[in-house]
Amino acid sequence: MHLAVDFGARFADFVAWDGADLRICKVANAPDIGAVTREGLAALGLTGAALESVRMVGTAALNAALDRRAAPVALVTTAGFADTLRLGRQNRVALYDPVAASPAPAFLVAEGDIHELGGRIDASGAEVAALDEAGLAVICDRLHGSGVRAVAVCLLFAHLNPAHERQVGEALRAALPGVAISLSHEVDPAPREYDRTVSVALDAWVAAQAGAELARFVAALPEAARDRVLLGEGRGVLVPRARFEARRAVLLTGGPAAAARAGALAVGEAGLVIDIGSQSADIALVRQGDPVTVDFGRFAGVDLRAPMVDMASVALGGARRVAQGAASLDDALAVLGLLPAEMGAEARVAEAGGAEAILAAAGEVAAVELIRYATRRNVDPGRVALCVMGGNGPLLATAIAEAMGLTRVSVPRAPAVAGAMGLAQAPERAEAQRRVDAALADLTDARLALLLDQLEAEVPGAGAAGWTLTVSARAQMHPLQLALETRPGSVAEVAAELARAYAAQFGVAPPGPGHLFALRCHRDRGTVLPPMPGAGAPARDAAGLVETEAGRIRLPEGWQIETRPGAYLLTRSRA
């Protein structure tokens, strides 16, 4: 058997399968993730079972980021650069806001936990001042016993010469056993000090928020399965658990990316996908049957410089208020009989104008966010399919469609466990990376071929390898991720691909000869789940609810439903 688990804010969703059998269950989440895992395994009849693979994602780190929740994290940076994280860039997120606040994620590290350290590497990678070893010893003493769970290190130009960062990392690991140490040249080896600072601070913050949780999950598995854990990461693929130690942000974006994968399987070639849970709603775009990915973006209010599904996450969910007053979306659903009754829900809902008004407001909020997301990507939201999923999504699917002026909306099979279903069907990715950090003009075809040979040897297997090149026009400019289906045959071919990508994204030729930061090679292995039975129109009860394999769909008067292989299609009569 294989197992996929999606830990949400309120429930943990479990999907288990083999060649013929598919099992699904939901377990109420709790602080003891180990106990939740054991309960889920028991419900599926998998206690002590031989598991060929275990796949895991969670939303704990994402919800903490949306709430700007602090964690015991410290940052060590070059003397004079302690304010980098708070100053951010001068870019204005809201161009016409007269009182614009900095979008910099200062919550990642408290101001008092940022430590400056002497020593300097210059823009060419040369050492101009030796590392202040006495100052480093003082920082280690301060952090020892301070209660920090993770330390981020970002020294100036460490992506060009990581010698100082490595020295700091060694000292911190010796002084702080059991504390996660994140080094910027390992997490994000690319220029731009603010971006690299955010990347490494986020890495440490996720380690502090979710590292212990991941360890408890693994410990709760049958012993033979503990070395078979795969994590869903931000591109909607599966990577080995060891990847968490190299780039911990996989736990921030993995859950929404898994749901986006499920949405892609439901809508087919093109569409908008929204997954609505108890704390957040995540939006993604599907093109050519796959979630659209980007090289970098803003997610949960944090600038992420890593390839990931092009997602937006908003604070809309069952536990959130969507109208004036204290009533939540869950309160309204409970009053309508769509969820179990909650104490005081009727009074809160009455104060907010009634349950139907709250549902309509939630549908309008979701519609506005979907339209905003689509139009910012030059997509007409009225001309692509819409897919709604999650624990609360199917109860709002028709309200969202009506608010957007749509007459059709799809809901995946087993919509309440869509993240786990997407995780179960995500491709398993074997990947290797090499840091190059060389101008294309200085890179020979022979050296490029040698690097590619070494990478390909590290990811053996059937099928063609995929290639990703991290490049920029010049060494100090933002890098692009070039995804290639075939192996580049020469440096000239890499330069041509850079020119093509630059023209496609910016409409101009690259303002420089090209600089190659890193190479990645990967091979994917897909998963096919047993088909779900059922066809035609499922029954609608007196309350307008349709029971699915996991979760319920609200089907108001005037809407019809049809069961398809991968999704339910809801259609509104035009009459």
Side-chain angles (χ1 to χ4, degrees), residues 248-343:
R248 297 180 178 93
V250 297
L251 287 188
L252 181 69
T253 55
R261 174 69 62 183
L265 294 167
V267 302
E269 281 297 303
L272 287 168
V273 175
I274 183 168
D275 175 27
I276 306 176
S278 61
Q279 292 289 338
S280 62
D282 305 308
I283 302 171
L285 176 65
V286 174
R287 282 197 184 115
Q288 298 178 329
D290 278 318
V292 172
T293 59
V294 292
D295 298 335
F296 52 85
R298 176 174 288 272
F299 183 68
V302 180
D303 291 318
L304 297 181
R305 193 164 63 172
M308 63 179 179
V309 172
D310 185 9
M311 300 175 286
S313 189
V314 295
L316 170 66
R320 304 279 184 177
R321 288 178 292 175
V322 293
Q324 291 185 347
S328 68
L329 176 58
D330 280 349
D331 288 334
L333 294 171
V335 168
L336 291 172
L338 306 181
L339 289 179
E342 296 192 16
M343 185 176 297

Side-chain angles (χ1 to χ4, degrees), residues 192-530:
R192 301 280 180 143
E193 298 305 314
Y194 168 71
D195 300 271
R196 200 154 41 83
T197 300
V198 170
S199 294
V200 74
L202 178 66
D203 191 79
W205 180 87
V206 172
Q209 289 281 5
E213 183 178 77
L214 175 59
R216 288 194 293 270
F217 166 72
V218 173
L221 296 172
E223 187 172 354
R226 292 173 189 170
D227 60 351
R228 300 172 186 171
V229 175
L230 302 168
L231 300 179
E233 62 111 87
R235 293 169 292 178
V237 301
L238 300 166
V239 296
R241 180 195 170 198
R243 178 66 185 267
F244 176 73
E245 299 302 325
R247 184 86 195 219
R248 297 180 178 93
V250 297
L251 287 188
L252 181 69
T253 55
R261 174 69 62 183
L265 294 167
V267 302
E269 281 297 303
L272 287 168
V273 175
I274 183 168
D275 175 27
I276 306 176
S278 61
Q279 292 289 338
S280 62
D282 305 308
I283 302 171
L285 176 65
V286 174
R287 282 197 184 115
Q288 298 178 329
D290 278 318
V292 172
T293 59
V294 292
D295 298 335
F296 52 85
R298 176 174 288 272
F299 183 68
V302 180
D303 291 318
L304 297 181
R305 193 164 63 172
M308 63 179 179
V309 172
D310 185 9
M311 300 175 286
S313 189
V314 295
L316 170 66
R320 304 279 184 177
R321 288 178 292 175
V322 293
Q324 291 185 347
S328 68
L329 176 58
D330 280 349
D331 288 334
L333 294 171
V335 168
L336 291 172
L338 306 181
L339 289 179
E342 296 192 16
M343 185 176 297
E346 290 190 10
R348 293 191 296 270
V349 168
E351 181 185 355
E356 291 290 351
I358 292 174
L359 259 62
E364 290 173 4
V365 169
V368 167
E369 295 294 343
L370 282 159
I371 292 169
R372 178 182 290 122
Y373 172 91
T375 53
R376 286 179 174 176
R377 289 153 180 82
N378 201 29
V379 172
D380 183 347
R383 293 179 177 270
V384 295
L386 173 64
C387 178
V388 182
M389 69 190 98
N392 287 300
L395 299 174
L396 296 173
T398 56
I400 296 170
E402 289 174 1
M404 295 178 68
L406 303 177
T407 59
R408 293 161 62 96
V409 57
S410 64
V411 175
R413 303 288 292 270
V417 296
M421 291 293 290
L423 188 65
Q425 298 172 86
E428 183 178 344
R429 175 161 293 184
E431 191 170 47
Q433 178 170 326
R434 280 288 186 281
R435 182 168 176 258
V436 182
D437 201 11
L440 293 184
D442 298 331
L443 187 64
T444 65
D445 289 347
R447 185 186 174 201
L448 176 64
L450 177 62
L451 290 168
L452 297 176
D453 287 342
Q454 292 172 343
L455 285 171
E456 202 160 7
E458 291 183 29
V459 284
W467 302 89
T468 304
L469 284 64
T470 305
V471 296
S472 66
R474 296 184 182 276
Q476 300 305 320
M477 298 183 71
H478 279 301
L480 299 178
Q481 305 289 334
L482 301 183
L484 307 179
E485 294 183 359
T486 58
R487 170 175 164 152
S490 66
V491 176
E493 186 178 331
V494 174
E497 289 291 342
L498 172 62
R500 179 196 57 76
Y502 226 88
Q505 184 162 344
F506 303 112
V508 297
H515 190 94
L516 178 61
F517 290 102
L519 294 166
R520 285 204 307 272
C521 176
H522 72 265
R523 295 184 197 272
D524 288 344
R525 184 174 65 181
T527 301
V528 178
L529 297 185

